[in-house]
Amino acid sequence: MRHYQPNSASAAGRILALAMVVDGHMAPSELRALERSRLLEHIDIDMDSFHDLVQELCYDLLACNVKNDYVELDPGTTDLLLADITDSELRRELLRAMWNIADADGVLADGEAKLLARACVIWAAEARFITEPDLAE
């Protein structure tokens, strides 16, 4: 699996790409959800660069994770990819976009559910993931 700098545009883009392909296909409705989120603009990736990240991710997944003629993402690999995002705000933005992508085609596939659940566990373990309301106001 390729290594990207933590919190980089490439690391964040790869998480979005993973959310799109983890169910075995990338639906047009998922691409539209990504475009509506405007997250690619926020992390400074254009659509062509994003498609390159998707292609690189698919090559990496095929090279490392083919079992019985299908790609199976093991929990350790998922954890390593999620660990590349350490910034709390970026984690929140990515998680929001990942949910929107997963919901876009009206079907929550097993792979999507596992990825989302794992992201919630790994990222929420950080104390600052949830912004506490200011009680003084």
Side-chain angles (χ1 to χ4, degrees):
M1 192 68 60
R2 283 165 232 268
H3 176 70
Y4 298 118
Q5 290 296 321
N7 302 314
S8 67
S10 295
R14 176 170 56 188
I15 295 294
L16 294 171
L18 182 60
M20 297 182 96
V21 302
V22 73
D23 64 352
H25 69 285
M26 188 180 333
S29 58
E30 293 173 337
L31 277 171
R32 287 191 298 275
L34 177 62
E35 289 173 349
R36 279 191 308 273
S37 78
R38 302 181 63 102
L39 190 53
L40 290 181
E41 292 174 28
H42 178 73
I43 61 175
D44 199 27
I45 292 182
D46 61 38
M47 192 53 78
D48 288 337
S49 297
F50 178 71
H51 284 290
D52 291 343
L53 283 170
V54 171
Q55 187 173 19
E56 290 172 358
L57 174 65
C58 290
Y59 288 148
D60 289 348
L61 291 173
L62 287 170
C64 316
N65 299 290
V66 176
K67 296 182 176 140
N68 301 322
D69 295 330
Y70 64 92
V71 174
E72 183 177 312
L73 191 60
D74 65 89
T77 301
T78 301
D79 289 358
L80 286 173
L81 296 176
L82 293 170
D84 279 343
I85 308 301
T86 60
D87 179 82
S88 299
E89 181 61 29
L90 183 55
R91 285 176 170 179
R92 283 190 291 274
E93 294 297 323
L94 284 169
L95 192 56
R96 184 177 300 118
M98 291 163 65
W99 276 105
N100 289 336
I101 289 166
D103 284 341
D105 61 1
V107 176
L108 183 62
D110 288 347
E112 292 169 327
K114 288 176 184 177
L115 175 61
L116 289 166
R118 194 65 189 152
C120 287
V121 168
I122 296 292
W123 289 349
E126 180 193 309
R128 294 181 319 261
F129 183 74
I130 300 171
T131 305
E132 296 293 329
D134 187 358
L135 299 177
E137 292 180 8

